[in-house]
Amino acid sequence: MEEEFKVTPWEVSGEIDYERLMQNFGTTPIDEALLRRLGGYGELHPMLKRGIFYCHRDMNQLLDRFDRGERFFLYTGRGPSGNTHLGHLMPWIFAKWLQDTFKVPLLFQMTDDEKFLFKDLSLDETRRLSYDNALDFVALGFDPDSTEIILDTENIRSLYPIALKVAKKVTFSTAKAVFGFDNSANIGAIFFTTIQAAPAFLPTEQSGVQTPCLIPCGIDQDPHFRVARDVAPGLDYPKPAMLYCKMFPGLGGGDKMSSSDPMSTIYTTDGPKDVRKKVGRAFTGGCVTVEEQREKGGNPEVCAIFKYNYYLFEEDDGKINDLAGRCKRGEVLCGECKAALTDKINLFLEGHQARREQAREVVDGMTFEGFEW
Ligand code: TRP
């Protein structure tokens, strides 16, 4: 059957059926038992309780090893193709929760090479964007003593030996099957997955001891890590465990916030007026007239405003349920909801933008030296 949605590391389109995606990719649902287990390490993050992080690979094995005293490290990243938007922050905020909960180191990869290869951007541009995007990452307050940022073109010496070992195990036909490359793909694009795999194996390579890795990220990145996991045993590297989230929704009602439509995207550098304007134009689950909405109520399930609250801006379960109830009963109108969300986003951005400025010094002084494992 023809799929009506597409999810690859380079393209997300259509209405995503997350259950089917999980089956297609062969990931495992995060079920009640796993949630209970995770809840044993600290209070569950709302993104887990709400099924935003919704499937995984090998989490139980990772936790078994952790319980036996084997520390893991976290690895996630960013492809610097434009300004950072709220959707990018979502998995990073979750990664910070993981770091705080398990007290583990974190590697953050900036793939300036990837965005040069896959987009119409110069290397100078993707490097500049890396610096800019790193400010947003640092602004989230990761523990500086146990967090490292890798910029691919800068830190390639650490990555390259691993990338080569991975490359030798991955055939062209696998790359074509997994990523859909055809004969027009540039050969850098075909090689790139080895560079994204490399940080997952870096601590093992550096320390000479198998070091477990956990990668929290968007489900669109799974193709890379399927390949990485497949080759790991043959290279004496541990298979990374994965925690996958859904895509952060766009304000236009679509399944993914995308930089290609700036009006449906809130950037971390947007001012209060931009936010008011964008939220004001958002797609809601409301009725055409006030009378109709008072009578029939709205539909939070399709509403971008509600989704923003659910994904990021209302962590209190009581309040989010109350909001859904009042919307369905027609007790709250879209205008009020938009105004309330605008205030919440602006409050968040005000703090974030201040921390982002403070981050300049940190990012300027950053050089990747590897961790002590
Ligand atoms: N390819 C990712 C992107 O386009 C960036 C990335 C690199 C990444 N390494 C990662 C994302 C590890 C998640 C986990 O955004």
Side-chain angles (χ1 to χ4, degrees):
M1 202 177 84
E2 187 69 34
E3 301 280 354
E4 64 279 15
F5 62 92
K6 196 169 176 185
V7 176
T8 76
W10 302 292
E11 188 192 348
V12 176
S13 62
E15 199 181 316
I16 306 168
D17 179 339
Y18 283 105
E19 290 306 308
R20 210 155 89 219
L21 194 57
M22 185 168 74
Q23 285 157 16
N24 292 351
F25 284 177
T27 59
T28 308
I30 298 177
D31 59 10
E32 281 304 317
L34 181 54
L35 285 179
R36 227 174 302 120
R37 185 166 185 191
L38 284 166
Y41 300 93
E43 204 195 323
L44 277 185
H45 195 278
M47 290 179 203
L48 280 169
K49 281 192 274 183
R50 294 180 184 178
I52 295 164
F53 270 82
Y54 83 112
C55 63
H56 74 102
R57 293 183 186 274
D58 286 352
M59 268 314 282
N60 282 307
Q61 287 88 325
L62 182 95
L63 293 174
D64 288 346
R65 295 176 82 164
F66 184 78
D67 290 347
R68 288 199 302 264
E70 228 181 305
R71 244 166 127 231
F72 60 88
F73 73 101
L74 295 162
Y75 160 42
T76 193
R78 160 78 178 139
S81 56
N83 291 334
T84 310
H85 61 57
L86 294 179
H88 301 128
L89 298 187
M90 187 176 76
W92 306 349
I93 289 170
F94 185 71
K96 170 146 170 49
W97 176 81
L98 287 170
Q99 183 177 59
D100 293 344
T101 301
F102 291 96
K103 313 264 181 306
V104 288
L106 169 74
L107 272 183
F108 190 76
Q109 180 182 40
M110 316 242 20
T111 53
D112 56 342
D113 50 351
E114 174 188 16
K115 296 304 163 179
F116 169 67
L117 290 166
F118 286 89
K119 299 258 175 183
D120 187 17
L121 292 167
S122 70
L123 257 186
D124 281 346
E125 280 168 299
T126 59
R127 285 176 67 114
R128 185 192 63 74
L129 285 165
S130 298
Y131 175 84
D132 183 84
N133 293 176
L135 297 176
D136 290 296
F137 173 75
V138 171
L140 295 178
F142 291 93
D143 172 9
D145 292 334
S146 55
T147 305
E148 293 268 6
I149 300 180
I150 301 173
L151 177 59
D152 285 348
T153 59
E154 197 64 39
N155 303 117
I156 190 64
R157 279 178 66 158
S158 310
L159 302 179
Y160 196 51
I162 305 170
L164 282 177
K165 292 183 194 178
V166 172
K168 202 169 174 178
K169 300 268 183 205
V170 183
T171 64
F172 183 30
S173 93
T174 297
K176 279 201 274 196
V178 174
F179 298 104
F181 294 129
D182 60 26
N183 282 344
S184 71
N186 73 63
I187 59 176
I190 296 159
F191 179 76
F192 171 73
T193 192
T194 67
I195 300 283
Q196 183 153 331
F201 307 135
L202 186 56
T204 296
E205 186 73 29
Q206 285 181 333
S207 68
V209 180
Q210 286 225 3
T211 312
C213 174
L214 170 60
I215 309 177
C217 65
I219 181 88
D220 59 326
Q221 299 298 310
D222 184 61
H224 286 301
F225 298 118
R226 282 205 302 270
V227 173
R229 286 168 47 87
D230 280 351
V231 303
L235 295 168
D236 264 335
Y237 294 141
K239 284 188 181 192
M242 311 296 309
L243 275 175
Y244 287 127
C245 65
K246 299 175 180 172
M247 302 291 113
F248 189 73
L251 280 172
D255 269 334
K256 181 174 179 265
M257 180 170 265
S258 159
S259 301
S260 53
D261 181 4
M263 270 316 284
S264 82
T265 305
I266 295 176
Y267 297 100
T268 57
T269 48
D270 278 351
K273 280 191 196 142
D274 304 314
V275 173
R276 185 163 3 104
K277 197 155 57 171
K278 292 177 185 185
V279 172
R281 289 198 201 172
F283 179 82
T284 72
C287 297
V288 181
T289 66
V290 173
E291 292 72 36
E292 202 183 339
Q293 184 154 349
R294 288 276 183 226
E295 191 187 319
K296 295 185 186 152
N299 180 4
E301 251 159 64
V302 301
C303 177
I305 304 294
F306 184 78
K307 286 186 196 168
Y308 273 55
N309 279 298
Y310 190 81
Y311 273 70
L312 220 44
F313 289 100
E314 184 49 78
E315 295 203 341
D316 184 316
D317 286 331
K319 285 188 185 164
I320 197 81
N321 292 334
D322 179 61
L323 180 63
R326 283 189 295 130
C327 172
K328 285 187 205 154
R329 292 190 300 272
E331 290 167 19
V332 57
L333 296 176
C334 298
E336 300 165 48
C337 253
K338 285 177 172 174
L341 180 67
T342 301
D343 288 345
K344 280 190 205 165
I345 296 179
N346 281 334
L347 189 67
F348 167 76
L349 286 182
E350 199 188 322
H352 182 78
Q353 286 164 7
R355 290 188 295 274
R356 199 176 185 279
E357 283 312 305
Q358 289 158 10
R360 281 185 198 280
E361 216 175 307
V362 182
V363 174
D364 279 340
M366 222 163 335
T367 50
F368 176 71
E369 280 149 10
F371 290 113
E372 292 289 320
W373 296 98

